[in-house]
């Protein structure tokens, strides 16, 4: 059976060129980058090159890149780091401090659960609502900022519904009000153009395995002068902000993935957007009672998301998988639990509608043929599930 992978928001395959760039550091170039000898130097060079490639992709300076273990660590580091550096310390903090953070109801759990952990340590967190398309209003960010606010964290694009947030506008407001701005750009780096300057971002999270790199490596962009404390202490690697012997092969892979993205994005974006639109229109034509989720135009080129009424998402995924199609019903960690996605509830969907969510996220290897196959496979599955659903009003029909 030909298998079709349509879950690129969960993870992407490692691109052949990325794998090639990594291999020497798993084989003969195994040195510790901190070592003085030639083994160490060739490993250190690989890290320098990756740092430059990644910085170039996002419009940063190489010294503003901190390599981490991935998106979750970068998010946690940004939030904990700013909170610990700027939290009010009675009489000891000369520059502006406070304990107030602002984020949104639709962030990844790496941000939301970190916020909860910070609340237990004395932070006050405002969770901004979103509109029915999943967008945050910049005016609401402006209204929520007070003298106590130290950080605003708004994701660049949502991983479940693909909505692209007005981060440049939000970043500008933060800049004017002297508040640090962090954005989780894990879903956009390597997929759409990102420029940390145009975005007014002080901190930005990214993860290699979402852009055809390996798992377990990512980065935090930190604008020069943005004060954060480390999460991991030790030998003072990454300018003292993230100690630990570097994941050299992983970092080389991230660098190669950044170079690959820079070369391919301009052609891949319109190609994937066309496939996405064919997929969405085709689903809508073939299946009644569909709700598109996310914004019609402000969305990731590779992301198609819908809710299919009177169908249970998990059953749909299992049936699709049986037919060789790998899809998702929201975020990877939300699938597998019976709780409705916090993102779909935040855009105002009822629990039973949210349970029928389907996310199809495209990648480099997907073709027209894949779309045809999904459009042939999905409608009979939905018909079958609706026929046995007690909720379906047209019971018996498909
Ligand atoms: C995948 C993802 C993360 C987590 O990244 P990891 O590298 O898997 O830890 C964080 N935020 C968003 C939006 C994501 O899609």
């Amino acid at each position: 059976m030909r298998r079709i992978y349509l879950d690129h928001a969960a993870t992407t395959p490692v691109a052949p060129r990325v794998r090639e760039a990594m291999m020497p550091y798993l084989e003969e170039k195994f040195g510790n980058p901190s070592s003085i000898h030639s083994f160490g130097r060739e490993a250190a060079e690989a890290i320098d090159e990756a740092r430059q490639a990644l910085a170039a992709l996002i419009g940063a300076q190489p010294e503003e890149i901190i390599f981490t273990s991935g998106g979750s660590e970068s998010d946690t580091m940004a939030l904990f780091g700013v909170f610990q550096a700027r939290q009010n310390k009675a009489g000891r903090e000369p520059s502006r401090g406070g304990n107030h953070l602002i984020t949104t109801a639709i962030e990844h759990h790496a941000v939301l659960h970190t916020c909860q952990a910070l609340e237990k340590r004395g932070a006050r967190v405002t969770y901004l609502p979103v509109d029915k398309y999943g967008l945050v209003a910049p005016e609401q960010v402006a209204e929520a900022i007070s003298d106590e606010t130290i950080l605003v964290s708004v994701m660049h694009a949502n991983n479940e519904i693909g909505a692209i947030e007005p981060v440049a506008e939000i970043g500008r407001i933060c800049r004017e009000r002297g508040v640090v701005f962090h954005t989780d750009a894990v879903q956009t780096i390597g997929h759409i153009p990102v420029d940390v300057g145009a975005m007014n971002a002080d901190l930005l999270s990214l993860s290699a395995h979402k852009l055809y790199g390996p798992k377990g490596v990512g980065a935090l962009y930190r604008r020069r002068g943005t004060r954060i404390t480390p999460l991991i202490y030790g030998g003072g690697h990454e300018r003292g902000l993230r100690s630990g012997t570097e994941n050299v092969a992983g970092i080389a892979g991230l660098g190669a993935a950044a170079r690959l993205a820079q070369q391919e994005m301009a052609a891949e974006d319109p190609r994937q957007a066309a496939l996405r639109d064919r997929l969405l229109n085709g689903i809508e034509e073939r299946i009644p009672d569909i709700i598109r989720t996310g914004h019609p135009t402000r969305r990731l080129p590779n992301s198609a998301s819908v809710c299919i009424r009177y169908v249970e998402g998990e059953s749909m995924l299992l049936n699709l998988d049986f037919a060789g199609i790998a899809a998702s019903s929201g975020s990877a960690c939300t699938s597998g639990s019976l709780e409705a996605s916090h993102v779909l509830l935040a855009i105002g969907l009822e629990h039973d509608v949210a349970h029928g969510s389907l996310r199809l996220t495209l990648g480099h290897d997907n073709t027209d043929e894949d779309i045809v196959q999904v459009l042939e496979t999905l409608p009979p599955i939905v018909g079958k599930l609706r026929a046995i659903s007690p909720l379906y009003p047209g019971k018996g029909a498909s």
Side-chain angles (χ1 to χ4, degrees):
M1 182 172 57
R2 199 169 73 94
R3 289 200 302 166
I4 301 176
Y5 185 77
L6 287 171
D7 199 11
H8 291 83
T11 196
T12 53
V14 174
R17 262 194 271 171
V18 169
R19 183 180 174 281
E20 270 168 44
M22 294 174 67
M23 285 316 284
Y25 304 96
L26 297 169
E27 293 173 344
E28 74 280 7
K29 298 187 178 180
F30 60 83
N32 184 324
S34 300
S35 301
I36 292 288
H37 46 64
S38 63
F39 291 86
R41 282 200 311 274
E42 57 195 14
E45 268 166 34
I47 293 177
D48 283 348
E49 272 175 32
R51 206 184 296 282
Q52 281 167 24
L54 188 56
L57 181 67
I58 64 171
Q61 297 300 315
E63 63 272 19
E64 295 176 312
I65 301 290
I66 304 164
F67 289 114
T68 67
S69 69
S72 300
E73 183 185 332
S74 297
D75 283 344
T76 305
M77 185 176 176
L79 272 62
F80 256 89
V82 170
F83 182 72
Q84 293 188 140
R86 293 176 67 126
Q87 168 188 28
N88 270 335
K89 299 180 192 106
R92 281 181 45 216
E93 189 71 9
S95 65
R96 182 176 154 162
N99 70 345
H100 182 225
L101 278 61
I102 299 170
T103 188
T104 80
I106 62 160
E107 297 297 311
H108 190 273
H109 284 135
V111 167
L112 289 178
H113 290 168
T114 302
C115 284
Q116 287 168 13
L118 289 174
E119 284 177 307
K120 293 199 182 110
R121 288 161 175 80
R124 193 167 64 77
V125 182
T126 301
Y127 299 90
L128 293 175
V130 293
D131 67 12
K132 65 176 177 175
Y133 299 119
L135 297 186
V136 182
E139 309 81 65
Q140 287 199 319
V141 176
E143 278 166 30
I145 294 177
S146 74
D147 290 344
E148 290 288 303
T149 310
I150 49 173
L151 176 75
V152 170
S153 179
V154 176
M155 71 198 318
H156 189 195
N158 183 268
N159 46 305
E160 292 188 38
I161 57 174
I164 300 174
E165 301 296 336
V167 284
E169 180 71 16
I170 293 168
R172 190 179 55 74
I173 292 166
C174 293
R175 182 69 46 84
E176 281 168 14
R177 305 282 292 273
V179 176
V180 174
F181 178 51
H182 167 251
T183 186
D184 174 341
V186 172
Q187 287 293 333
T188 54
I189 300 297
H191 294 268
I192 58 174
V194 169
D195 183 279
V196 290
M199 213 184 231
N200 299 304
D202 299 306
L203 298 164
L204 176 147
S205 303
L206 63 95
S207 176
H209 77 98
K210 305 285 176 86
L211 64 139
Y212 304 92
K215 291 163 188 60
V217 59
L220 179 68
Y221 157 79
R222 181 189 68 116
R223 181 177 299 281
R224 198 176 307 154
T226 306
R227 279 190 304 135
I228 57 170
T229 60
L231 285 182
I232 300 177
Y233 295 86
H237 307 76
E238 301 296 289
R239 314 190 135 236
L241 289 170
R242 207 286 188 176
S243 287
T245 303
E246 298 87 340
N247 174 359
V248 182
I251 290 169
L254 175 50
R259 283 191 291 269
L260 188 68
Q262 207 151 31
Q263 288 161 14
E264 302 207 330
M265 215 186 311
E268 272 300 308
D269 280 3
R271 191 190 75 85
Q272 291 182 23
L275 291 181
R276 173 204 63 195
D277 291 341
R278 248 189 99 192
L279 189 56
L280 278 171
N281 294 335
I283 290 174
E284 214 162 44
E285 279 162 22
R286 287 166 180 77
I287 304 172
D289 289 316
I290 294 281
I291 296 161
R292 289 193 188 210
T293 55
H295 194 274
T297 54
R298 288 188 66 99
R299 66 179 306 131
L300 290 170
N302 73 332
S303 170
S305 60
V306 293
C307 283
I308 304 185
R309 276 182 187 274
Y310 317 117
V311 170
E312 210 268 303
E314 302 289 312
S315 318
M316 192 159 45
L317 296 188
L318 290 173
N319 278 274
L320 282 170
D321 185 46
F322 195 67
I325 297 168
S328 149
S329 156
S331 68
C333 28
T334 316
S335 318
S337 80
L338 274 177
E339 244 170 74
S341 138
H342 65 288
V343 176
L344 299 177
L345 297 181
I347 61 173
L349 297 179
E350 301 290 341
H351 270 86
D352 56 338
V353 174
H355 274 307
S357 92
L358 177 66
R359 180 186 73 177
L360 301 162
T361 44
L362 301 153
H364 287 177
D365 295 334
N366 291 124
T367 59
D368 248 9
E369 212 183 314
D370 295 346
I371 306 302
V372 171
Q373 189 149 340
V374 173
L375 293 178
E376 272 172 21
T377 311
L378 183 62
I381 289 175
V382 171
K384 187 179 85 178
L385 293 174
R386 280 180 173 171
I388 56 168
S389 164
L391 298 171
Y392 187 49
K395 213 168 163 11
S398 69

